[in-house]
Amino acid sequence: MKQKNFLVTIAIVLATLISGCAEDDFQETAGVCPLVIDTNPDNAATNVPLNQVITVTFNEEMDPSTINSSSFIVTGASTIAGTLTYSGVTATFTPSVNLTPNTTYVVRITTAVKDLRGNALQEDYLFSFSTGATLQPLVLTTSPTPNETGVVLNKIVSATFNMPMDPATINTSTFTLKQGTTTITGVVTYSGNTALFTPNANLTANTVYTATITTGAHNMAGVALASNYVWNFTTGAIVAPRVILTDPFNTETGVLLNKVVTATFDMAMDPLTITTSTFTLKQGTDVILGSVSYSGNMASFTPNNPLLANAIFTATITTGAKNVAGIAIANNYVWTFKTINSSNAPDLGSASPFGAFGGNAGITNQGINTVINGSIATTAASTLVTGFHDATAIYTETPLNVGNVTGAIATAPPMPGTATSFAIAQQALLDANAAYLSISPASMPGGIDPGAGELGGLTLAPGIYKSNSGTFNISNGNLTLDAQGDPNTVWIFQTAAGLTVGIAGPTGAKSVVLINGALPKNVFWYVGSTAIINGAGGGTMVGTIIANSGVTFSTAGNAVQTVLNGRALSLVSSVTMVNTTINVPQ
């Protein structure tokens, strides 16, 4: 009898285990009883977003019919209405409206929730969380700014918020642009904290527009702007693009036969309008065949074949060239240049207008009588140009250091340096370096050294001259250059190290003298390191000096004027001068 009762007891226990979870002495056992294993938000979470979707994850697949508003209950100050869904092992509750700020919510999953075998939770599962304070989104900045005038016609209108926004709420319904009552069509995008409205067509000139960000724009917590943000701006007049720089420049001579002809505009152009139809090159009436490209405000014409020597060419940018706003240049832009008559003549390109170029280190003047009849430039910051002014700006002048630049000064920012002037300086440095290499011994071999490095007292015909010792001096007298009646002839002087003109003492200045048609524009100095020109002050130097490591004129305290009829182009270091006149050759 006792054995029979024991067997019955075993059978009852087994049946209970097979059918579900025992009610008494309950122990949660994964795979036997349903359990809540994860929640979002976590229990006791704080600063929960107001648009939080609540999820509960179970240890096994549940019966969806048991997950409803009676078994999944969210309460704050009262029971929260929402939508319940179930997928996989996760139940999801989406509140019908945003939660309330600074409020504690309790989520209860009751024992009415069962798994597919009918096993129920053994006890209600509760967890709580708290929402954070309301963070109101604001529009911090706009472009154009409120009441801005002169806005370009192809403007992309933008608004930047103080926090990330819900991208789904940033659209053409919440970000609008109107002209009066007329809605402007466009595309709205969102990136970072900034919304962008791109009109489908250019805006109208001299017109007031109204942009609006509505309260339909929400942050990531679902909080809307407190009120519509509205601002106005006015477009400017139609501004036609202009050609501001060409290479070669107008009437330039001595242009190399493999020259790529370029034109730089004052604004971005539509690349589709920069073609062989709008950028042409002719020699007389003959059309020069070539290819046209456009990059960074610059159009380039590359001839298919070398140009004819000693010939005049005409380049034209037609009114078919338009900016990105679809506005054409006002008139055809036409310029001419002449190719070299001597194969020795280098092409300075965009470095031609500069009387001094201070590499990436700047240009310094001391004295009150320095005059640059031309332009100066450096790829360094504007603060490294000292003692100069042009027609528009002053660069660190003092009453004792005044240098007049009749052309322009091109530097990197800060102001008065700009991105445009920096780009001009960068291109000039590239062209100066190319010219430097083109007159190097590697490019022009065969130079002679008639004075064993001493050029003073010599009279030299056109040709290539190279210092065997690596330095050139003009100290034993003046150097005379005789063109022998041909104004197109060229002199190239090559020194692997330094060039020194003049000696110490009040009468130590030396000069370069030109006779029989010789011209400063046809004299070139290749200097591997540094050029020092008349340290005692005075004298007249001639030619374009391209030095790797700097050029120095005179020394501090000299009042007598030192003259250069040419250019002082340093590729790396600075150019310094004291009471110096530089006349850029034409």
Side-chain angles (χ1 to χ4, degrees), residues 151-195:
V151 175
V152 296
L153 306 186
N154 61 335
K155 181 66 178 177
I156 296 175
V157 184
S158 68
T160 300
F161 300 89
N162 65 331
M163 63 181 67
M165 302 295 286
D166 181 354
T169 69
I170 307 297
N171 50 53
T172 52
S173 297
T174 60
F175 191 171
T176 63
L177 184 65
K178 291 186 177 183
Q179 190 270 304
T181 59
T182 302
T183 298
I184 306 302
T185 60
V187 177
V188 172
T189 56
Y190 178 77
S191 178
N193 286 3
T194 300

Side-chain angles (χ1 to χ4, degrees), residues 40-90:
N40 185 25
D42 293 331
N43 185 39
T46 59
N47 293 316
V48 172
L50 305 186
N51 60 343
Q52 177 70 46
V53 174
I54 303 166
T55 64
V56 173
T57 301
F58 299 90
N59 66 329
E60 60 177 312
E61 191 172 353
M62 306 299 288
D63 180 355
S65 66
T66 67
I67 298 174
N68 50 53
S69 59
S70 298
S71 61
F72 193 135
I73 305 165
V74 182
T75 57
S78 60
T79 300
I80 304 302
T83 302
L84 268 168
T85 59
Y86 179 80
S87 177
V89 293
T90 300

Side-chain angles (χ1 to χ4, degrees), residues 8-29:
V8 170
T9 301
I10 293 297
I12 293 172
V13 171
L14 289 174
T16 302
L17 292 175
I18 291 171
S19 63
C21 298
E23 295 289 340
D24 298 327
D25 301 322
F26 170 65
Q27 294 182 354
E28 295 178 340
T29 304

Side-chain angles (χ1 to χ4, degrees), residues 101-112:
N102 293 320
T103 300
T104 297
Y105 289 84
V106 176
V107 180
R108 179 185 297 272
I109 310 298
T110 76
T111 57

Side-chain angles (χ1 to χ4, degrees), residues 341-419:
N341 190 41
S342 166
S343 61
N344 291 334
D347 176 24
L348 293 173
S350 63
S352 294
F354 297 106
F357 195 101
N360 59 8
I363 305 174
T364 301
N365 164 59
Q366 296 182 51
I368 61 173
N369 295 319
T370 292
V371 177
I372 311 297
N373 290 310
S375 299
I376 64 174
T378 177
T379 57
S382 61
T383 52
L384 294 183
V385 175
T386 60
F388 289 98
H389 67 272
D390 60 13
T392 61
I394 296 174
Y395 293 73
T396 324
E397 278 188 346
T398 71
L400 299 178
N401 301 304
V402 178
N404 179 28
V405 178
T406 63
I409 300 176
T411 74
M415 291 293 291
T418 65

Side-chain angles (χ1 to χ4, degrees), residues 98 159 183 187 221 247 343 361 419 465 469 479 495 521 566 585:
N98 281 349
T183 298
V187 177
D247 181 18
S343 61
Y465 299 91
S469 65
L479 168 63
T495 167
K521 69 178 183 179

